[in-house]
Amino acid sequence: MDFSWLEQLIVNKTGDKLNWLQTVILEQVLQGDTYGEISEAYGYTEGHIKDIGSQLWQLLSQVLEQRINKKNCRAILEQYQPSLPQLSAKKIPNFIGREPAMLHLNTLINQGSKVIVIQGEGGLGKTTLAQQYLKTQKFEMVLELLMAKERRYITSAEQVVEEQGKLI
Ligand SMILES: Nc1ncnc2c1ncn2[C@@H]1O[C@H](COP(=O)(O)OP(=O)(O)OP(=O)(O)O)[C@@H](O)[C@H]1O
Ligand SMILES: [Mg+2]
């Protein structure tokens, strides 16, 4: 994407310029990517992408003299650059065919289940189902724990909870 007009404006107003990661975040967010997707694609933690992202929106807000954030940046930048490339087709939500499974999860939760195991062949959509379900629940915080499959690498649950506790 060509942001030379924006880069020029930033240099003129602040004497500073976008760094590489800020440019990456801007381009990816404009294409509809989430911070989680960017962090996975570029090998950073989601927290780091969020931090750099929030600096980016602050800088753009200052330079364009209006409040810019992840949600509205596309609409605002389009006013300056109508030729902004359209969202690619792969960004159309593609979570399909899981209504019965989502309802089932809901039923289990309503019945008071505290632990739910989702079992199925590799690549069937277990992780996606769990993530989508959690998204609909509007939790303030969701902790994702990746557990090793090999016994000798398994971290004790106590240790994991202790680590996460430090983050909270
Ligand atoms: N409901 C769905 N609609 C469309 N695509 C889906 C759906 N669920 C999963 N996918 C896609 O299928 C692929 C595999 O999904 P996912 O990683 O959730 O599977 P998994 O069962 O957790 O796999 P693994 O056993 O390797 O952990 C992903 O590319 C995901 O985007
Ligand atoms: Mg999985």
Side-chain angles (χ1 to χ4, degrees):
M1 281 185 223
D2 177 21
F3 293 123
S4 38
W5 64 272
L6 184 58
E7 279 162 5
Q8 197 55 54
L9 200 61
I10 293 172
V11 173
N12 292 350
K13 285 216 173 179
T14 67
D16 224 347
K17 50 184 212 167
L18 291 183
N19 64 35
W20 174 79
L21 191 52
Q22 287 174 324
T23 312
V24 165
I25 295 175
L26 182 58
E27 290 190 351
Q28 299 306 113
V29 165
L30 287 174
Q31 281 174 44
D33 279 356
T34 63
Y35 285 152
E37 286 168 328
I38 300 172
S39 65
E40 268 176 37
Y42 288 86
Y44 292 94
T45 63
E46 192 170 342
H48 185 61
I49 298 294
K50 273 186 191 156
D51 289 347
I52 303 293
S54 100
Q55 288 169 15
L56 170 68
W57 310 130
Q58 261 179 38
L59 180 66
L60 295 185
S61 302
Q62 184 196 336
V63 166
L64 296 174
E65 292 170 12
Q66 54 187 317
R67 183 136 176 68
I68 298 192
N69 55 38
K70 183 159 159 270
K71 279 208 182 117
N72 69 11
C73 69
R74 200 179 159 91
I76 291 180
L77 291 184
E78 263 173 354
Q79 293 166 9
Y80 292 84
Q81 188 176 349
S83 65
L84 213 60
Q86 287 306 303
L87 288 182
S88 57
K90 89 172 172 54
K91 288 303 158 198
I92 293 166
N94 57 353
F95 182 69
I96 54 169
R98 291 289 184 226
E99 291 83 2
M102 296 281 268
L103 286 173
H104 190 193
L105 286 172
N106 232 348
T107 309
L108 291 171
I109 300 282
N110 291 338
Q111 288 169 352
S113 299
K114 297 287 183 228
V115 176
I116 299 171
V117 177
I118 302 176
Q119 223 174 358
E121 283 170 41
L124 205 73
K126 304 177 290 293
T127 301
T128 307
L129 172 63
Q131 288 169 338
Q132 291 290 327
Y133 182 75
L134 291 171
K135 257 192 211 168
T136 65
Q137 297 304 295
K138 310 254 180 275
F139 287 113
E140 206 170 298
M141 181 179 284
V142 172
L143 302 177
E144 197 163 336
L145 309 183
L146 300 175
M147 304 291 243
K149 288 172 190 134
E150 302 220 16
R151 262 172 168 242
R152 63 200 157 111
Y153 297 129
I154 291 180
T155 315
S156 74
E158 287 85 353
Q159 204 175 328
V160 172
V161 170
E162 193 181 315
E163 281 299 314
Q164 298 283 0
K166 284 185 205 153
L167 296 177
I168 304 165

